[in-house]
Amino acid sequence: MRRVALLGATGSIGRQAIEVVAAHPELELCALQSGSTSLEALAAEHGVDHVRVGGNPVPLLEASRPDVVLNAVVGFAGVRATLWSLEQGVTLALANKESLVAAGELAVRARERGGGVLVPVDSEHSALHQCLEGRDPRTVHALVLTASGGPFRSRPRAELESVTIDEALAHPTWAMGPKITIDSATLANKGLELIEAHWLFDVAYDRIDVVVHPTSIVHALVRLRDGALLAHLGMPDMRVPISYALTYPERAATNVPPLELEGLRLDFEAVDDEAFPMLALARRAAARGGTMPCAYNAANEVAVDAFLAGTIGFLEIATIVEATLERVSGAPARDVDDLVAADAEARQLAARGLQPA
Ligand code: MG
């Protein structure tokens, strides 16, 4: 029996994870945490004793002794669970990409010390994990992340000025929570995923490419040094990467329908950096290193909240992130307290950017 602690239990990933656990007799839920939603009914239904709403998940994890932590928390709030799991040598099924973006160096060191196994749940990174497994890193030339392009793909910048919250929340291929859906519309999600891929697979940023692929059938590709290009294809259904991470390396069966190949067309196009500057901003933050990626993430979280609250327009998300990155020091974090301070500083600066001039 593999004991699963599920953090972010009531979100989109959390609900699908409960479905995956229920369908697999070797998996059982040992702990549930949500940000603010009550878990009473869910805990009773699944017979889970260790439950927590909000706050630091570490006491819950310590008490419930999981074999796998599925971190599906939204945003920087997931950072302590990520570091704890890697430090304790527990398998971390990571859907909370923000924690790896903000705490990349600390996470790598925690994994070296604790020996935790990190299996990504993000669909692109799950695909890369599968394409790279067992491969000599010297044979890998480049990684390619695919981006659906979101609801505003192929729209020029001028048209994005006045798009509404509902339009931004209408993702063409993936059904996800509001934060990641807005990140997909701005391409900040791909910026976060670029940094996530760097820390997961130890590949330099200039060897991680992004290409727009509107149907989200190809989840990622790996270019090998002999010219071969490996692609991972599948339906855009998060139950597959969730199941892969929770049952790794066994790869349990799922009831997701197989991909039909007849009539399948695969289209790819370049990213429009002018209309969607969040990806290029992520590259700049990544190149500067230290806590710059942490600041990028923090400013983005503040700006996305403001957009969803109707306080700012769609294009202002990137404006606020760019202005914040110009003002933070970006000095490296020695520990999680430094990181929390860098996150808070960036949030304050971003919030100041929301005030009318
Ligand atoms: Mg993804």
Side-chain angles (χ1 to χ4, degrees):
M1 200 53 104
R2 195 179 287 193
R3 293 164 60 77
V4 179
L6 177 55
L7 311 178
T10 55
S12 171
I13 295 286
R15 290 195 306 271
Q16 294 177 83
I18 288 170
E19 212 185 298
V20 168
V21 170
H24 199 277
E26 289 303 303
L27 299 174
E28 76 175 354
L29 289 172
C30 67
L32 295 169
Q33 185 174 33
S34 69
S36 58
T37 311
S38 165
L39 291 166
E40 242 171 84
L42 205 57
E45 188 186 336
H46 296 277
V48 182
D49 297 328
H50 299 281
V51 174
R52 188 181 168 111
V53 177
N56 182 355
V58 167
L60 178 84
L61 295 173
E62 277 172 348
S64 60
R65 310 301 309 156
D67 301 303
V68 186
V69 174
L70 174 45
N71 186 355
V73 171
V74 177
F76 183 78
V79 77
R80 287 185 194 276
T82 286
L83 295 175
W84 182 89
S85 305
L86 296 171
E87 192 87 52
Q88 297 300 312
V90 168
T91 296
L92 173 63
L94 185 66
N96 171 253
K97 67 193 87 185
E98 295 94 333
S99 61
L100 201 55
V101 168
E105 280 172 284
L106 296 179
V108 165
R109 271 186 263 147
R111 178 166 62 168
E112 281 167 6
R113 284 193 301 265
V117 175
L118 210 180
V119 189
V121 172
D122 209 346
S123 59
E124 296 81 355
H125 304 72
S126 177
L128 289 172
H129 191 267
Q130 294 168 57
C131 289
L132 289 169
E133 190 165 44
R135 216 165 287 290
D136 182 339
R138 290 172 304 178
T139 66
V140 174
H141 177 65
L143 311 181
V144 185
L145 296 166
T146 56
S148 71
F152 306 134
R153 179 180 62 84
S154 69
R155 295 242 210 136
R157 182 175 173 84
E159 275 185 32
L160 300 180
E161 192 94 46
S162 56
V163 293
T164 67
I165 299 167
D166 285 343
E167 287 176 292
L169 285 173
H171 196 277
T173 55
W174 292 99
M176 306 177 291
K179 200 270 178 172
I180 187 172
T181 304
I182 300 303
D183 285 349
S184 297
T186 62
L187 289 200
N189 185 49
K190 222 42 62 175
L192 297 170
E193 290 184 355
L194 166 82
I195 300 169
E196 181 187 13
H198 167 76
W199 292 116
L200 280 170
F201 305 115
D202 192 23
V203 172
Y205 286 109
D206 60 1
R207 293 194 296 120
I208 308 175
D209 300 327
V210 174
V211 67
V212 173
H213 168 52
T215 51
S216 305
I217 295 295
V218 177
H219 298 131
L221 308 95
V222 174
R223 292 188 186 278
L224 299 174
R225 66 180 175 189
D226 59 3
L229 179 59
L230 303 183
H232 182 291
L233 282 71
M235 298 292 284
D237 188 321
M238 285 309 293
R239 289 173 299 174
V240 177
I242 291 169
S243 178
Y244 175 78
L246 291 183
T247 66
Y248 178 81
E250 178 201 331
R251 196 189 273 271
T254 72
N255 53 13
V256 173
L259 180 66
E260 297 290 343
L261 291 173
E262 288 83 1
L264 182 67
R265 285 195 46 189
L266 302 175
D267 294 311
F268 299 93
E269 54 194 66
V271 172
D272 177 351
D273 284 319
E274 199 205 349
F276 304 100
M278 286 299 286
L279 177 59
L281 283 172
R283 280 201 186 275
R284 264 157 58 192
R288 289 170 68 187
T291 49
M292 279 295 170
C294 175
Y296 171 89
N297 175 67
N300 181 55
E301 285 188 31
V302 170
V304 170
D305 280 347
F307 174 72
L308 286 172
T311 315
I312 60 169
F314 184 77
L315 291 176
E316 284 171 274
I317 297 173
T319 311
I320 284 168
V321 172
E322 185 169 20
T324 304
L325 290 176
E326 279 165 15
R327 288 179 178 84
V328 294
S329 75
R334 290 157 301 182
D335 53 28
V336 72
D337 293 335
D338 276 3
L339 196 69
V340 168
D343 173 79
E345 183 201 14
R347 274 169 206 276
Q348 260 173 24
L349 288 166
R352 219 176 289 165
L354 299 172
Q355 312 294 326

